[in-house]
Amino acid sequence: MLSNYLKQKLSSPLKIGSLKVKSRVFQSPLSGVTDLVFRRLVRRYAPQSMMYTEMINATEIHYLKQLPKLMEIDKDEQPISIQLFDSRPDFIAEAAQKSVQEGAQTIDINMGCPVNKITKKGGGSSLLRQPDIAQAIVEKVVKSVEVPVTIKTRIGWSDQEINILDFAKRMEDSGAAMITIHGRTRAQGYNGKAKWEWITKVKKILGIPVIANGDIFSVESAIKCLEITGADGVMCSRGTLGYPFLVGEIDYFLRTGIMKISPTPKQRLECAKEHLNNLWEYKGRRGIYQSRKHLAWYCKAFPGAPELRDLVSRIETIDQGNQLLDKAIEFFNKN
Ligand SMILES: Cc1cc2nc3c(=O)[nH]c(=O)nc-3n(C[C@H](O)[C@H](O)[C@H](O)COP(=O)(O)O)c2cc1C
């Protein structure tokens, strides 16, 4: 149940600098997942939620003639943020300006990615170890664009180097309008439990909104996280893989106190089919290959799911995918 304190606090819009956002539940940036096609599905159930593009390399934006497709956002899509990563303040600032031209309402800077390829070049979570550079990035981007600049980070590099309290304060002092904290260290990757207690501590010392991230897989976990951390909102990540309903379910509960009835396996498969066809339309053959992982994620918690998962993760054509999904949907029509 939602405490009265929480109800009261979360009923007002969230102010991210000059931007007002009506929902306190966010869809996280997920590389290889949160493209335009996926965001459209999530937004159907959570129209007022903040969403993010996949993280985009600012160096690439600087050198490439054409803007990457990852930057594409729908004309009427909002609230929407473009997430950038890099270690060079000037490149990120330039990419931020282009992002605003593309329609970004906030610029989010990735300071949490654990992947070696990124951290070796000084981006992502390695910025936790280079707070001076992180500060320089935020300061430069804030000066370069009119929209709010936000950051997403982790609690530290490792258990021995948890520096989120100092780091978050420095980001606020540099002009960040909001901070999202994934409650794990870089060393944890995606393993072990998210340490929400660190988010509680950060919330106590910052004036800007703090969004809690990590292990939000259900309405219950979202409520628990909000109660524990006192955060201004929650951000869903892996819980949305093959389940674009999650952000909407949590948002609905926060708004009404009523638990939405979860989609049936048939409805989930119908959504998977729509996802597949939209990817095909948007990306062609590449969309089919990308759809494999999505379709596999949809195949859980129903009879025959493991067998179907195995088949959909090997599709070569749109017809193959549609046939497999139609057959499964037909099964649920009869049973
Ligand atoms: C497949 C995948 C892709 C991700 N891509 C990004 C990304 O582009 N930018 C980012 O800030 N975090 C990214 N993350 C991290 C998530 O946004 C989130 O912080 C993390 O998964 C913790 O939340 P969870 O425990 O609810 O999954 C990614 C995570 C996964 C699993």
Side-chain angles (χ1 to χ4, degrees), residues 36 101 148 173 212 299:
L36 192 119
Q101 282 163 19
D173 293 344
C299 295

Side-chain angles (χ1 to χ4, degrees), residues 307-320:
E307 292 79 7
L308 184 61
R309 192 183 314 137
D310 183 50
L311 294 170
V312 292
S313 53
R314 286 184 281 131
I315 61 164
E316 291 287 344
T317 64
I318 182 74
D319 290 345
Q320 245 181 332

Side-chain angles (χ1 to χ4, degrees), residues 41-42 44-45 217-219 239-250 252 259-272 274 297-303 332:
L41 287 176
V42 176
R44 181 180 301 160
Y45 308 102
F217 289 108
S218 61
V219 172
T240 67
L241 301 178
Y243 199 78
F245 315 95
L246 182 62
V247 178
E249 284 178 358
I250 299 171
Y252 186 77
M259 212 45 120
K260 247 188 175 176
I261 297 169
S262 296
T264 61
K266 179 178 166 245
Q267 287 166 329
R268 283 189 275 128
L269 288 169
E270 282 166 348
C271 181
E274 186 180 352
W297 286 326
Y298 281 98
C299 295
K300 60 181 172 210
F302 58 80
F332 285 110

